[in-house]
Amino acid sequence: NKTILCILIALFAIGCKQKSTSKIEHERPNIIFIMSDDHAYQAIGAYGSVLNKTPNIDRLANEGALFNNAFVTNSICSPSRAVVLTGKHSHLNGVRDNINVFDSTQQTYPKLLQKAGYQTAVLGKWHLKSQPTGFDYWKVLPDQGHYYNPDFRTPEGIVQEDGYVTDIITDMALEWLDSKRDKSKPFMMMYHHKAPHREWLPAMEHLTDFKADLITEPESLFDDYKGRGRAAKEAEMRISDHMGLSNDNKIDPEIVKSLGFEQFMGWYEGAYKNNLARMTEKEKAAWDKVYGPINRDFEKNTPKGKELIRWKYQRYMQDYLACIESVDKNIGRVLDYLDETGLAENTIVVYTSDQGFYLGEHGWFDKRFMYEESFRTPLLIRWPNKVKSGTVNTDLVQNLDFAETFLDAAGVEIPSDMQGKSMLPLFDGDNQDWRDAVYYHYWEYPGIHAVKRHYGVRTKTHKLIHFYYDIDEWELYDLEKDPKEMMNLINDPAYELVKKDLMEKLNKLRKQYHDTDSLNQAILKSDLSR
Ligand code: SGN
Ligand code: CA
């Protein structure tokens, strides 16, 4: 009898344990972190886009929260990704520019989640050079990757997939969710698009989208940079001078040459040819059907001067926005899958971009600056169990906060050396202990696009920037009176107090994040010796 009693007690205990474990597993949320590459908030419906519609991305705002003050710490690809993984600023995680290699032995949030029993995966753009670590499954693009028939890095080596990159990455994500993961565990999936990164090659079914109607121009398309310093003037990312007619605007290099245009850089021609060379014959034929007439028209009615800039802007936006069509459609596929499988309720879905982007503002494309369009990113978070639908948040959040937020949501302790903050309290509307300023530092100079090294601070109302290295200039903007940042007020006596306050905040943040002048000197020395 005693034995039977013991067996019964043991069985009861096992039953209890199993029950409680499965309850915990059930409660811990799944996480899908969707990050696209260079997707500007100006091109998202929920952010008031006048350019395009994004009904699927907008669902996240309608059913969750939209963040109006989301920023990066360093507006460029590899650094942004390293910040997301580590919750640490660039000078501490080691990836300050697109040249540094990510030290994959360091602490990351996927590793910590994996250790805590999560199934983890990363699919799509990676751009950190070293091999992904902390993932049960990974399949990533080598470097920037290709739009058509792209190669992927896998633990077994390079494999080539047929089709269009945004569709393929989504197929991979859905396949992993459906059949490649251990379904007894909660999951965290990083689902990263290449699109809409330069050189903006739309999918076959979107080739003609946006090509019929004139796209709205931004007010500052012909910015003369008066009112600002050297950094804005000397940057090489103007649509007029630095956007390539062939690689970016898809005019055959032979035509460009025959019309007497100077190619800005030799590699523009190579890039144009390489992109098209990846297409199948059928794809190339469909492409030529749409881009052939554009080429012939350009040859016949070659625009000049301001008209050329206008033409280039139209061509840029036509392709950029068409790439986003695919991103939006594919996100819809993932959201539908979550609905159909009942996963939606307890899955945190985040949509963001590795940084913002200029869609012609200040006459620019690309990013890098601490000015709003590149510093600020879209951020939408849906978590039906926790976030009230239709929430609009205006607290100052950063990509530095993702790691902490995900660990917190999973009930995992946040390591004390991570530098961001969990956004969880904000989900409940509690911003009592939130920050009043964000810190920024951009390093990739000398380099492509020639955006000078700078760091700075932004509050809800003002911004202070220091450009350094081959320049020593400060800029101050009043974001309430001058949201488009056209007038540097650094020497305006009316702003003396504001300046003093911002300077104090900047120094405090630099100290808090351990970004010191001496470290900077050492970094400069090592960067310049590369
Ligand atoms: C490429 C682009 C640049 C872009 C960098 C970094 N040129 O070099 O315009 O700034 O990537 O982008 S391209 O014509 O080759 O596309 S990032 O998003 O990876 O940081
Ligand atoms: Ca990017």
Side-chain angles (χ1 to χ4, degrees), residues 143-216:
D143 197 34
Q144 298 283 9
H146 284 102
Y147 275 103
Y148 277 91
N149 307 305
D151 293 333
F152 284 89
R153 286 169 78 185
T154 74
E156 291 79 38
I158 299 279
V159 292
Q160 192 245 308
E161 299 286 349
D162 295 338
Y164 185 69
V165 72
T166 309
D167 301 330
I168 298 171
I169 294 169
T170 309
D171 291 344
M172 284 165 15
L174 291 174
E175 192 190 12
W176 185 74
L177 285 176
D178 205 48
S179 59
K180 279 206 150 86
R181 66 188 169 96
D182 175 352
K183 289 193 176 161
S184 69
K185 294 179 173 180
F187 65 83
M188 187 286 293
M189 177 176 81
M190 301 182 86
Y191 158 51
H192 293 175
H193 285 295
K194 169 188 170 56
H197 191 273
R198 196 182 183 191
E199 287 115 349
W200 319 297
L201 272 70
M204 287 292 132
E205 71 265 35
H206 297 297
L207 289 182
T208 56
D209 294 7
F210 301 100
K211 292 202 169 59
D213 300 324
L214 217 57
I215 297 161
T216 315

XYZ file of all heavy atoms in Angstrom, residues 143-216:
620
model
N 26.193 39.542 -46.945
C 26.362 40.988 -47.054
C 25.014 41.675 -47.351
O 24.047 41.465 -46.642
C 27.429 41.293 -48.113
C 27.947 42.717 -47.970
O 28.028 43.202 -46.825
O 28.265 43.339 -48.999
N 24.927 42.457 -48.467
C 23.659 43.140 -48.779
C 22.630 42.213 -49.420
O 21.436 42.480 -49.334
C 23.915 44.319 -49.752
C 24.813 45.408 -49.214
C 24.096 46.320 -48.224
O 22.976 46.043 -47.808
N 24.756 47.388 -47.838
N 23.084 41.163 -50.061
C 22.160 40.260 -50.739
C 21.651 40.818 -52.058
O 21.949 41.957 -52.420
N 20.899 39.986 -52.776
C 20.355 40.395 -54.076
C 18.837 40.336 -54.078
O 18.248 39.575 -53.331
C 20.906 39.479 -55.181
C 22.324 39.803 -55.532
N 23.375 39.044 -55.085
C 22.853 40.824 -56.251
C 24.503 39.580 -55.537
N 24.220 40.661 -56.239
N 18.237 41.129 -54.979
C 16.771 41.114 -55.081
C 16.269 39.884 -55.833
O 15.276 39.280 -55.467
C 16.279 42.382 -55.792
C 16.109 43.573 -54.861
C 17.044 44.598 -54.815
C 14.999 43.657 -54.022
C 16.872 45.689 -53.959
C 14.814 44.732 -53.166
C 15.755 45.750 -53.139
O 15.577 46.819 -52.292
N 16.965 39.547 -56.924
C 16.484 38.434 -57.752
C 17.354 37.190 -57.596
O 18.576 37.273 -57.598
C 16.404 38.849 -59.231
C 15.113 39.574 -59.515
C 15.028 40.956 -59.400
C 13.952 38.856 -59.819
C 13.819 41.613 -59.618
C 12.745 39.506 -60.031
C 12.684 40.874 -59.930
O 11.485 41.517 -60.126
N 16.675 36.067 -57.397
C 17.342 34.757 -57.307
C 18.560 34.819 -56.378
O 19.673 34.497 -56.779
C 17.713 34.285 -58.716
C 16.492 34.325 -59.631
O 15.468 33.733 -59.310
N 16.574 35.056 -60.721
N 18.321 35.244 -55.142
C 19.425 35.538 -54.223
C 20.102 34.293 -53.633
O 19.495 33.221 -53.561
C 18.735 36.312 -53.088
C 17.328 35.796 -53.099
C 17.005 35.526 -54.547
N 21.349 34.494 -53.233
C 22.075 33.472 -52.468
C 21.761 33.661 -50.987
O 21.468 34.764 -50.554
C 23.594 33.658 -52.643
C 24.047 33.365 -54.062
O 23.366 32.571 -54.741
O 25.075 33.935 -54.473
N 21.861 32.560 -50.240
C 21.712 32.631 -48.784
C 22.857 31.893 -48.106
O 23.324 30.869 -48.612
C 20.383 31.992 -48.337
C 19.195 32.870 -48.604
C 18.519 32.801 -49.816
C 18.765 33.779 -47.648
C 17.431 33.627 -50.076
C 17.676 34.603 -47.899
C 17.012 34.534 -49.109
N 23.282 32.409 -46.974
C 24.260 31.714 -46.127
C 23.486 30.786 -45.196
O 22.501 31.213 -44.579
C 25.015 32.705 -45.244
C 26.036 33.548 -45.934
C 26.513 34.655 -44.997
N 27.470 34.176 -43.994
C 27.960 34.945 -43.008
N 27.573 36.205 -42.888
N 28.830 34.461 -42.151
N 23.956 29.568 -45.084
C 23.360 28.624 -44.131
C 24.516 27.936 -43.410
O 25.665 28.041 -43.863
C 22.523 27.539 -44.850
O 23.434 26.605 -45.476
C 21.599 28.115 -45.909
N 24.254 27.220 -42.310
C 25.357 26.516 -41.627
C 26.055 25.535 -42.576
O 27.214 25.196 -42.389
C 24.662 25.774 -40.490
C 23.384 26.512 -40.274
C 22.981 27.062 -41.608
N 25.346 25.091 -43.625
C 25.936 24.124 -44.564
C 26.610 24.789 -45.751
O 27.142 24.101 -46.620
C 24.862 23.160 -45.081
C 24.308 22.194 -44.049
C 23.278 22.843 -43.135
O 22.480 23.662 -43.640
O 23.308 22.559 -41.926
N 26.570 26.092 -45.827
C 27.189 26.786 -46.950
C 26.185 27.635 -47.706
O 25.040 27.810 -47.261
N 26.608 28.133 -48.877
C 25.755 29.028 -49.664
C 24.749 28.222 -50.488
O 25.109 27.243 -51.129
C 26.624 29.875 -50.621
C 27.610 30.751 -49.841
C 25.764 30.704 -51.579
C 27.056 32.032 -49.278
N 23.489 28.650 -50.447
C 22.498 28.046 -51.345
C 21.805 29.168 -52.117
O 21.619 30.261 -51.584
C 21.425 27.218 -50.599
C 22.014 25.982 -49.974
C 20.701 28.045 -49.539
N 21.453 28.888 -53.339
C 20.766 29.906 -54.134
C 19.289 29.556 -54.203
O 18.933 28.388 -54.361
C 21.384 29.983 -55.524
C 20.944 31.187 -56.344
C 20.147 30.778 -57.558
O 20.587 29.934 -58.326
N 18.974 31.364 -57.714
N 18.432 30.557 -54.055
C 16.986 30.316 -54.117
C 16.408 31.050 -55.324
O 16.848 32.148 -55.650
C 16.295 30.815 -52.846
C 16.759 30.147 -51.559
C 16.235 28.714 -51.403
O 15.347 28.305 -52.186
O 16.741 28.014 -50.503
N 15.412 30.449 -55.944
C 14.787 31.074 -57.108
C 13.657 32.006 -56.680
O 12.863 31.653 -55.814
C 14.182 30.009 -58.034
C 15.274 29.114 -58.623
O 16.435 29.567 -58.650
O 14.951 27.979 -59.025
N 13.604 33.155 -57.297
C 12.488 34.056 -57.043
C 12.921 35.410 -56.536
O 14.062 35.833 -56.703
N 11.984 36.103 -55.902
C 12.192 37.477 -55.459
C 12.443 37.500 -53.947
O 11.723 36.853 -53.175
C 10.961 38.312 -55.809
C 11.123 39.774 -55.495
C 12.004 40.571 -56.235
C 10.421 40.371 -54.447
C 12.158 41.918 -55.949
C 10.569 41.718 -54.165
C 11.439 42.488 -54.918
O 11.606 43.819 -54.646
N 13.439 38.235 -53.563
C 13.972 38.132 -52.201
C 12.929 38.308 -51.092
O 12.926 37.564 -50.104
C 15.167 39.105 -52.011
C 14.722 40.556 -51.958
C 16.003 38.736 -50.804
N 12.016 39.275 -51.235
C 11.047 39.549 -50.155
C 10.072 38.368 -50.000
O 9.708 37.994 -48.879
C 10.291 40.862 -50.453
O 11.265 41.865 -50.738
C 9.453 41.307 -49.284
N 9.698 37.768 -51.138
C 8.818 36.587 -51.083
C 9.562 35.400 -50.472
O 9.012 34.660 -49.658
C 8.358 36.182 -52.492
C 7.605 37.306 -53.194
O 6.955 38.107 -52.502
O 7.685 37.380 -54.436
N 10.803 35.237 -50.874
C 11.571 34.075 -50.412
C 11.796 34.127 -48.904
O 11.617 33.133 -48.192
C 12.936 33.990 -51.140
C 12.728 33.806 -52.647
C 13.779 32.851 -50.581
C 14.006 33.940 -53.459
N 12.180 35.293 -48.411
C 12.435 35.413 -46.965
C 11.151 35.120 -46.190
O 11.175 34.477 -45.138
C 13.011 36.813 -46.625
C 14.404 36.970 -47.252
C 13.097 37.025 -45.113
C 14.972 38.381 -47.215
N 10.029 35.547 -46.736
C 8.749 35.270 -46.066
C 8.412 33.781 -46.134
O 7.953 33.203 -45.140
C 7.620 36.113 -46.700
O 8.062 37.469 -46.740
C 6.339 36.008 -45.887
N 8.652 33.161 -47.276
C 8.428 31.708 -47.371
C 9.244 30.991 -46.305
O 8.768 30.068 -45.638
C 8.863 31.168 -48.750
C 7.952 31.664 -49.873
O 6.848 32.150 -49.565
O 8.372 31.568 -51.054
N 10.486 31.426 -46.145
C 11.367 30.792 -45.156
C 10.833 31.003 -43.740
O 10.855 30.094 -42.906
C 12.787 31.390 -45.260
C 13.566 30.864 -46.448
S 15.071 31.809 -46.900
C 15.403 32.817 -45.519
N 10.336 32.209 -43.480
C 9.806 32.524 -42.145
C 8.577 31.651 -41.856
O 8.459 31.063 -40.779
C 9.437 34.000 -42.063
N 7.693 31.557 -42.846
C 6.471 30.768 -42.637
C 6.793 29.283 -42.490
O 6.182 28.580 -41.683
C 5.490 30.997 -43.797
C 4.873 32.405 -43.840
C 4.043 32.598 -45.100
C 4.029 32.658 -42.593
N 7.764 28.840 -43.246
C 8.163 27.436 -43.166
C 8.732 27.123 -41.782
O 8.425 26.092 -41.177
C 9.216 27.141 -44.249
C 9.484 25.672 -44.427
C 10.695 25.406 -45.317
O 11.452 26.358 -45.600
O 10.882 24.244 -45.689
N 9.540 28.050 -41.278
C 10.121 27.812 -39.949
C 9.022 27.800 -38.879
O 8.989 26.925 -38.029
C 11.180 28.875 -39.613
C 11.865 28.568 -38.312
C 12.798 27.589 -38.076
C 11.638 29.205 -37.044
N 13.172 27.589 -36.755
C 12.468 28.569 -36.102
C 10.814 30.245 -36.616
C 12.519 28.948 -34.745
C 10.853 30.627 -35.271
C 11.690 29.985 -34.353
N 8.117 28.772 -38.999
C 7.038 28.848 -38.006
C 6.186 27.588 -38.037
O 5.780 27.060 -37.006
C 6.129 30.050 -38.301
C 6.676 31.435 -37.960
C 5.684 32.503 -38.410
C 6.958 31.560 -36.471
N 5.937 27.093 -39.239
C 4.985 26.005 -39.410
C 5.572 24.624 -39.165
O 4.927 23.767 -38.593
C 4.384 26.087 -40.818
C 3.031 25.423 -40.858
O 2.228 25.723 -39.951
O 2.790 24.601 -41.757
N 6.814 24.423 -39.583
C 7.286 23.036 -39.525
C 8.741 22.863 -39.106
O 9.212 21.747 -38.997
C 7.072 22.381 -40.896
O 7.788 23.120 -41.868
N 9.458 23.928 -38.878
C 10.881 23.719 -38.609
C 11.261 23.977 -37.156
O 12.420 23.856 -36.784
C 11.712 24.655 -39.513
C 11.886 24.106 -40.925
C 13.168 24.669 -41.531
C 13.810 23.736 -42.514
N 13.280 23.853 -43.872
N 10.303 24.409 -36.327
C 10.657 24.727 -34.947
C 10.069 23.693 -33.993
O 9.167 22.938 -34.367
C 10.164 26.124 -34.580
C 8.657 26.232 -34.564
C 8.152 27.640 -34.389
N 6.727 27.675 -34.645
C 5.789 27.608 -33.691
N 6.121 27.510 -32.434
N 4.504 27.623 -34.023
N 10.563 23.697 -32.763
C 10.030 22.832 -31.722
C 8.813 23.535 -31.128
O 8.949 24.526 -30.403
C 11.130 22.618 -30.666
C 10.635 21.836 -29.470
O 9.408 21.584 -29.386
O 11.468 21.486 -28.613
N 7.638 23.029 -31.430
C 6.419 23.759 -31.068
C 6.087 23.700 -29.582
O 5.129 24.335 -29.130
C 5.246 23.268 -31.911
C 5.358 23.713 -33.358
C 4.090 23.518 -34.133
C 4.253 24.087 -35.531
N 3.299 23.593 -36.493
N 6.869 22.926 -28.806
C 6.592 22.896 -27.363
C 7.218 24.105 -26.677
O 7.008 24.343 -25.501
C 7.143 21.609 -26.748
O 8.562 21.630 -26.773
N 8.014 24.871 -27.437
C 8.694 26.026 -26.837
C 8.171 27.338 -27.421
O 7.741 27.376 -28.569
C 10.200 25.939 -27.141
C 10.905 24.776 -26.492
C 12.360 24.797 -26.901
C 13.147 23.745 -26.128
N 14.557 23.765 -26.529
N 8.279 28.416 -26.649
C 7.968 29.724 -27.254
C 9.068 30.065 -28.260
O 10.158 29.492 -28.193
C 7.994 30.692 -26.072
C 8.826 30.034 -25.030
C 8.714 28.544 -25.249
N 8.778 30.985 -29.169
C 9.797 31.284 -30.185
C 10.084 32.774 -30.303
O 9.261 33.610 -29.919
C 9.385 30.718 -31.548
C 8.141 31.350 -32.127
C 8.204 32.559 -32.825
C 6.901 30.724 -31.997
C 7.057 33.138 -33.363
C 5.741 31.310 -32.530
C 5.824 32.513 -33.213
N 11.264 33.055 -30.857
C 11.648 34.419 -31.201
C 12.244 34.349 -32.594
O 13.218 33.638 -32.827
C 12.681 34.957 -30.213
C 13.019 36.435 -30.388
S 14.035 36.848 -31.809
C 15.571 36.070 -31.366
N 11.611 35.035 -33.530
C 12.083 34.991 -34.917
C 12.442 36.399 -35.390
O 11.618 37.309 -35.314
C 10.992 34.396 -35.807
C 11.374 34.369 -37.284
S 10.123 33.555 -38.313
C 8.934 34.867 -38.506
N 13.661 36.547 -35.888
C 14.060 37.808 -36.503
C 13.868 37.638 -38.007
O 14.536 36.814 -38.634
C 15.515 38.151 -36.146
C 15.719 38.273 -34.640
S 17.406 38.726 -34.149
C 17.333 40.523 -34.256
N 12.922 38.381 -38.526
C 12.507 38.228 -39.933
C 12.856 39.548 -40.626
O 12.174 40.545 -40.453
C 11.018 37.871 -39.913
C 10.168 38.131 -41.117
C 10.539 37.701 -42.391
C 8.934 38.756 -40.965
C 9.693 37.932 -43.473
C 8.084 38.978 -42.036
C 8.476 38.579 -43.294
O 7.637 38.810 -44.353
N 13.987 39.520 -41.339
C 14.619 40.762 -41.816
C 14.592 40.880 -43.332
O 15.194 40.053 -44.026
C 16.093 40.786 -41.381
C 16.289 40.906 -39.917
N 17.537 40.847 -39.324
C 15.412 41.113 -38.906
C 17.401 41.004 -38.022
N 16.130 41.157 -37.744
N 13.954 41.936 -43.814
C 13.925 42.132 -45.262
C 15.139 42.875 -45.786
O 15.717 43.705 -45.094
C 12.651 42.881 -45.663
C 11.460 41.994 -45.607
N 11.339 40.915 -46.449
C 10.379 41.979 -44.799
C 10.207 40.285 -46.165
N 9.624 40.901 -45.170
N 15.489 42.560 -47.014
C 16.495 43.341 -47.732
C 15.854 44.639 -48.228
O 16.458 45.710 -48.183
C 17.041 42.561 -48.927
C 17.886 43.451 -49.832
C 18.284 42.773 -51.115
C 18.914 43.766 -52.083
N 20.075 44.483 -51.551
N 14.654 44.504 -48.719
C 13.933 45.670 -49.272
C 13.608 46.656 -48.154
O 13.463 46.244 -47.006
C 12.640 45.197 -49.933
N 13.459 47.934 -48.501
C 13.649 48.562 -49.810
C 15.027 49.218 -49.949
O 15.124 50.396 -50.238
C 12.546 49.615 -49.826
C 12.450 50.051 -48.366
C 12.861 48.872 -47.533
N 16.079 48.441 -49.764
C 17.452 48.972 -49.871
C 17.810 49.294 -51.326
O 17.325 48.650 -52.244
C 18.426 47.924 -49.304
C 19.815 48.424 -49.114
N 20.754 48.391 -50.112
C 20.427 48.962 -48.036
C 21.894 48.896 -49.655
N 21.728 49.244 -48.396
N 18.661 50.284 -51.485
C 19.240 50.576 -52.790
C 19.777 49.289 -53.430
O 20.336 48.471 -52.693
C 20.411 51.546 -52.562
C 20.890 52.263 -53.794
C 22.087 53.138 -53.424
N 22.533 53.888 -54.583
C 23.690 54.559 -54.600
N 24.481 54.566 -53.538
N 24.044 55.218 -55.675
N 19.630 48.933 -54.701
C 19.179 49.803 -55.751
C 17.736 49.579 -56.175
O 17.394 49.750 -57.336
C 20.099 49.633 -56.974
C 21.481 50.250 -56.788
C 22.652 49.232 -56.770
O 22.399 48.009 -56.701
O 23.795 49.660 -56.816
N 16.873 49.224 -55.200
C 15.423 49.265 -55.399
C 14.935 48.533 -56.658
O 14.430 49.158 -57.596
C 14.949 50.740 -55.420
C 15.643 51.578 -54.388
C 15.575 51.417 -53.043
C 16.539 52.681 -54.613
N 16.363 52.359 -52.411
C 16.961 53.138 -53.351
C 17.019 53.334 -55.743
C 17.851 54.211 -53.189
C 17.896 54.401 -55.589
C 18.295 54.834 -54.328
N 15.027 47.231 -56.630
C 14.488 46.440 -57.755
C 13.138 45.843 -57.352
O 13.096 44.939 -56.516
C 15.456 45.307 -58.141
C 16.542 45.632 -59.160
C 17.577 46.565 -58.562
C 17.224 44.362 -59.652
N 12.051 46.323 -57.929
C 10.732 45.812 -57.545
C 10.514 44.380 -58.039
O 11.192 43.919 -58.963
C 9.761 46.762 -58.250
C 10.565 47.920 -58.720
C 11.959 47.418 -58.914
N 9.540 43.713 -57.438
C 9.161 42.365 -57.880
C 8.421 42.464 -59.202
O 7.858 43.498 -59.539
C 8.261 41.721 -56.833
N 8.411 41.357 -59.929
C 7.747 41.314 -61.249
C 6.327 41.880 -61.201
O 5.932 42.673 -62.050
C 7.692 39.866 -61.753
C 9.032 39.350 -62.215
S 9.547 40.189 -63.710
C 11.224 40.651 -63.339
N 5.544 41.454 -60.187
C 4.130 41.873 -60.163
C 3.950 43.333 -59.757
O 2.839 43.854 -59.787
C 3.278 40.951 -59.272
C 3.535 41.079 -57.790
C 4.534 40.050 -57.279
O 5.487 39.699 -58.017
O 4.370 39.610 -56.127
N 5.052 43.996 -59.366
C 4.916 45.412 -58.995
C 5.701 46.346 -59.912
O 5.852 47.522 -59.617
C 5.351 45.612 -57.537
C 4.487 44.879 -56.566
N 3.144 45.164 -56.424
C 4.753 43.848 -55.717
C 2.628 44.343 -55.516
N 3.576 43.535 -55.078
N 6.200 45.791 -61.027
C 7.042 46.605 -61.921
C 6.338 47.871 -62.407
O 6.964 48.914 -62.541
C 7.490 45.781 -63.137
C 8.521 44.677 -62.882
C 8.904 43.999 -64.191
C 9.758 45.203 -62.177
N 5.047 47.780 -62.641
C 4.360 48.957 -63.207
C 3.719 49.839 -62.131
O 3.227 50.918 -62.435
C 3.267 48.529 -64.221
O 2.375 47.646 -63.537
C 3.870 47.829 -65.417
N 3.726 49.369 -60.877
C 3.137 50.186 -59.802
C 3.859 51.530 -59.729
O 5.077 51.595 -59.881
C 3.302 49.497 -58.438
C 2.516 48.201 -58.340
O 1.952 47.773 -59.355
O 2.489 47.619 -57.241
N 3.158 52.555 -59.455
C 3.713 53.906 -59.234
C 4.331 54.538 -60.474
O 4.959 55.576 -60.389
C 4.769 53.900 -58.113
C 4.238 53.420 -56.800
C 4.461 52.114 -56.371
C 3.486 54.270 -55.999
C 3.952 51.663 -55.156
C 2.981 53.834 -54.779
C 3.215 52.518 -54.360
N 4.185 53.888 -61.645
C 4.862 54.446 -62.816
C 3.945 55.350 -63.654
O 4.407 56.011 -64.568
C 5.491 53.343 -63.663
C 6.660 52.694 -62.893
C 7.662 51.995 -63.737
C 8.919 51.602 -63.002
N 8.779 50.715 -61.848
N 2.657 55.389 -63.286
C 1.733 56.181 -64.099
C 1.528 57.596 -63.577
O 1.510 58.552 -64.340
C 0.388 55.457 -64.189
N 1.399 57.737 -62.261
C 1.073 59.062 -61.704
C 2.300 59.746 -61.114
O 3.228 59.085 -60.659
C 0.012 58.923 -60.614
C -1.259 58.318 -61.188
O -1.579 58.637 -62.344
O -1.896 57.499 -60.484
N 2.228 61.088 -61.123
C 3.324 61.861 -60.563
C 3.332 61.712 -59.039
O 2.296 61.806 -58.392
C 3.122 63.329 -60.953
C 4.395 64.101 -61.270
C 5.178 63.435 -62.393
C 4.036 65.535 -61.657
N 4.505 61.468 -58.477
C 4.637 61.295 -57.025
C 4.959 62.651 -56.387
O 5.762 63.426 -56.923
C 5.731 60.242 -56.730
C 5.287 58.884 -57.313
C 6.009 60.135 -55.236
C 6.381 57.885 -57.500
N 4.322 62.921 -55.248
C 4.497 64.216 -54.564
C 5.960 64.457 -54.210
O 6.616 63.596 -53.635
C 3.677 64.227 -53.250
O 2.398 63.699 -53.518
C 3.580 65.625 -52.668
